[in-house]
């Protein structure tokens, strides 16, 4: 069963237009008028294909194939439609358009009587994946998986101090699209009790996504089948030294918090870089310094460290080595070092059944592919503990993502989406 490549690419190009930063990448945050335009486009297509549309309190959307029969196991496919600030045109929306293309193709084939599914098919659109509003990633899928609930409605706040609950309530101010019969949002009371998925009803979850890294492009491959997703530990360090005059304090009598941080950071980097598997990654992504003035020795540095790998033992091992490194550098330099474990997530193993079946199918179809890790976490991971979950990657040119330059060859976009179609078909049998 062949997907319609022109329709797939056409939908992607149309949705690319829904950005608040034209010419400077795609910016489309959840719960905004631009998000509403993208939702209207997709809901209109679903309506035209005779599909059902259900929207939960978090504004995740589920689109059910018109031919679905109540009570049958559900095969889900989808991704997110929100972006980062000045992001790319494919992150998230590619998986949505791929799943939508599968739905439109199935609708045609079932209509012609050329295919009779024995399971139900649904497209799922996850809200607020990127954390652009509230700084918490995969918010929609965390509610679906039951990891977030009532408490997060009030604890998650956007940059202006509005809670998630307030933002959801404010959706009443966004008008529905005149071209859609169905509303774009669920605007009743913000009641999240019905959001968690009934995993007993779901057979499979499939997410098509761009790789967002350099592996497939560098190796000249056209597709990836994901088997493991990196877990991580996030640790916060506060280094306390002594602020003093930048001219009158001899170098030998300083307790400079920034220099200590710099030494510890570069030492940690070189330790992790020399890992024999070249897989573990460490990132010091956020740093604040006090008093942050040109003529004062830095007294306090606060920074975050993330260690990621697919192997929990490696994450724990390197996290401990880096903590010890910070401690010993601070001790040597006469600084205090306080350490606070911020958060963590365990590595995720995707369905071995799906990886095996997809691998055989990709070999049969002579696709240039590899089975690979995902360093980034995706919505599908939130469901992976509960249902058979698989992920398919298309290459990212030069490994660029979350930037306006994010791109993928059209041929690769089409072939990975066709692979999603073939995988869905197998699951529906
Ligand atoms: Zn994404």
């Amino acid at each position: 069963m062949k997907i319609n490549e022109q329709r797939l690419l056409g939908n992607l190009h149309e949705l690319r237009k829904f950005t608040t930063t034209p010419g400077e990448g795609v910016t489309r945050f959840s719960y905004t008028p631009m998000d509403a335009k993208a939702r209207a486009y997709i809901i209109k297509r679903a309506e035209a294909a005779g599909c059902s549309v259900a929207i939960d309190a978090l504004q995740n959307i589920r689109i059910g194939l018109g031919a679905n029969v109540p009570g049958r196991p559900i095969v889900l496919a989808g991704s997110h439609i929100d972006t980062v600030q000045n992001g790319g045109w494919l992150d998230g929306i590619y998986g949505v358009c791929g799943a939508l293309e599968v739905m439109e193709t199935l609708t045609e084939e079932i209509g012609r009587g050329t295919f009779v599914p024995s399971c139900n098919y649904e497209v799922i659109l996850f809200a607020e994946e990127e954390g652009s509003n509230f700084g918490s990633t995969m918010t929609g899928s965390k509610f679906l998986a039951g990891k977030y609930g009532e408490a997060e409605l009030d604890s998650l706040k956007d940059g202006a101090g509005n809670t998630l609950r307030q933002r959801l309530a404010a959706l009443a101010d966004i008008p529905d699209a005149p071209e859609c019969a169905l509303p774009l949002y669920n605007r009743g009371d913000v009641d999240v009790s019905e959001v968690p998925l009934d995993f007993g009803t779901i057979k499979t979850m499939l997410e098509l996504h761009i790789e967002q890294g350099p592996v497939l492009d560098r190796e000249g491959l056209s597709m990836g089948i994901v088997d493991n997703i990196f877990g991580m530990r996030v640790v916060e360090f506060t280094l306390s030294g002594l602020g003093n005059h930048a001219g009158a304090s001899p170098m030998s009598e300083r307790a400079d918090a920034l220099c200590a941080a710099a030494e510890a950071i570069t030492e940690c980097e070189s330790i992790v870089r020399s890992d024999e598997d070249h897989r573990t990654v460490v990132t010091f992504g956020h740093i604040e310094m006090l008093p942050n003035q040109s003529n004062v020795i830095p007294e306090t540095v606060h920074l975050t460290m993330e260690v990621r790998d697919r192997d929990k033992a490696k994450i724990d091992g390197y996290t401990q080595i880096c903590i010890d490194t910070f401690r010993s550098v601070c001790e040597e330099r006469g600084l205090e070092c306080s350490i606070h474990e911020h958060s963590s997530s365990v590595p995720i193993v995707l369905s071995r059944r799906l990886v095996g079946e997809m691998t055989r199918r990709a070999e049969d179809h002579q696709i240039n592919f590899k089975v690979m890790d995902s360093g980034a976490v995706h919505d599908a991971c939130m469901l992976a503990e509960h249902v058979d979950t698989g992920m398919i990657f298309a290459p990212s040119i030069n490994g660029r993502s979350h930037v306006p330059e994010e791109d993928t060859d059209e041929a690769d976009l089409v072939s990975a989406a066709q692979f999603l179609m073939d995988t869905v078909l197998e699951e529906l049998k």
Side-chain angles (χ1 to χ4, degrees):
M1 198 179 290
K2 279 259 162 293
I3 59 164
N4 181 331
E5 5 178 318
Q6 288 318 314
R7 186 168 57 196
L8 169 72
L9 296 171
N11 284 338
L12 280 168
H13 283 288
E14 283 303 312
L15 283 154
R16 185 179 197 167
K17 295 175 187 167
F18 300 130
T19 170
T20 55
T21 53
E24 292 168 12
V26 180
T27 306
R28 185 173 57 238
F29 289 4
S30 295
Y31 317 136
T32 63
M34 200 50 78
D35 170 60
K37 285 190 181 180
R39 292 166 79 89
Y41 183 89
I42 291 160
I43 288 173
K44 203 170 71 177
R45 295 209 71 97
E47 285 175 342
C51 294
S52 64
V53 176
I55 302 172
D56 68 24
L58 255 289
Q59 316 304 331
N60 301 300
I61 304 179
R62 287 172 72 176
I63 299 171
L65 194 65
N68 283 352
V69 176
R72 290 198 301 203
I74 299 164
V75 176
L76 279 175
S79 191
H80 59 99
I81 62 169
D82 64 325
T83 72
V84 296
Q85 179 74 36
N86 302 102
W89 71 297
L90 295 170
D91 179 4
I93 203 73
Y94 170 53
V96 168
C97 287
L100 202 63
E101 179 51 40
V102 168
M103 184 198 71
E104 300 200 65
T105 306
L106 282 171
T107 302
E108 289 168 353
E109 298 282 343
I110 293 168
R112 279 190 215 113
T114 50
F115 180 67
V116 182
S118 19
C119 294
N120 289 343
Y121 176 69
E122 285 188 19
V123 178
I124 187 160
L125 280 68
F126 298 101
E128 188 58 8
E129 191 270 351
E130 297 286 5
S132 302
N133 285 308
F134 305 101
S136 169
T137 57
M138 295 169 291
T139 300
S141 48
K142 282 176 180 165
F143 273 92
L144 285 166
K147 290 179 194 294
Y148 277 2
E150 197 69 25
E152 282 75 15
L153 286 176
D154 299 308
S155 65
L156 292 178
K157 288 189 178 136
D158 67 16
N162 300 301
T163 63
L164 172 57
R165 187 190 298 278
Q166 288 166 332
R167 289 291 300 276
L168 291 170
L171 292 172
D173 299 333
I174 299 180
D176 279 322
E179 67 268 29
C180 291
L182 294 163
L184 303 183
Y185 292 103
N186 177 347
R187 297 192 181 87
D189 289 339
V190 184
D191 173 6
V192 294
S193 60
E194 306 273 294
V195 175
L197 290 168
D198 177 359
F199 287 108
T201 62
I202 299 164
K203 178 185 178 188
T204 316
M205 167 69 207
L206 295 165
E207 184 169 1
L208 174 70
H209 207 282
I210 51 164
E211 183 202 337
Q212 303 183 279
V215 175
L216 295 173
D217 190 47
R218 193 205 303 129
E219 298 182 22
L221 300 171
S222 57
M223 193 181 81
I225 294 169
V226 181
D227 63 347
N228 288 283
I229 296 179
F230 278 21
M232 68 167 131
R233 274 175 71 183
V234 186
V235 177
E236 294 176 347
F237 293 98
T238 304
L239 283 60
S240 308
L242 189 66
N244 213 338
H245 195 284
S249 313
M251 292 305 283
S252 59
E253 291 172 38
R254 294 182 176 210
D256 183 325
L258 184 63
C259 290
E263 183 184 336
I265 288 170
T266 45
E267 201 167 314
C268 292
E269 188 209 20
S270 85
I271 291 166
V272 175
R273 275 180 81 142
S274 59
D275 175 72
E276 54 194 8
D277 297 330
H278 303 292
R279 196 182 58 211
T280 313
V281 289
V282 61
T283 307
F284 300 91
H286 180 87
I287 185 162
E288 280 169 33
M289 181 169 77
L290 286 171
N292 208 14
Q293 287 181 26
S294 67
N295 58 358
V296 185
I297 297 168
E299 176 157 314
T300 309
V301 165
H302 178 81
L303 61 94
T304 61
M305 175 183 78
E306 279 189 18
V307 177
R308 301 197 193 208
D309 196 276
R310 73 172 189 205
D311 177 355
K312 189 173 180 306
K314 285 240 172 177
I315 298 172
D316 291 342
Y318 279 117
T319 301
Q320 195 53 52
I321 290 170
C322 292
I323 287 173
D324 293 344
T325 302
F326 270 81
R327 281 208 178 107
S328 75
V329 167
C330 286
E331 204 180 301
E332 237 165 71
R333 288 171 167 265
L335 284 91
E336 299 233 321
C337 179
S338 77
I339 294 150
H340 170 66
E341 185 96 26
H342 182 268
S343 57
S344 64
S345 64
V346 290
I348 289 163
V349 179
L350 295 183
S351 161
R352 287 292 173 254
R353 172 183 75 80
L354 284 169
V355 170
E357 289 171 8
M358 289 197 287
T359 301
R360 279 191 291 281
R361 187 170 315 117
E363 283 166 356
D364 287 349
H365 295 190
Q366 297 179 325
I367 295 169
N368 250 331
F369 79 104
K370 76 181 290 184
V371 176
M372 64 187 294
D373 298 326
S374 171
V377 190
H378 298 282
D379 287 307
C381 310
M382 296 301 113
L383 281 60
E385 280 172 38
H386 307 277
V387 291
D388 272 11
T389 298
M391 283 202 77
I392 301 162
F393 275 173
S396 294
I397 296 173
N398 298 322
R400 307 283 315 271
S401 183
H402 280 188
V403 290
E405 293 81 6
E406 177 183 284
D407 206 3
T408 299
D409 281 339
E410 278 192 358
D412 291 336
L413 288 175
V414 171
S415 76
Q418 179 63 50
F419 192 77
L420 173 69
M421 173 89 242
D422 297 340
T423 304
V424 168
L425 277 180
E426 275 311 305
E427 293 298 306
L428 288 176
K429 276 182 185 166

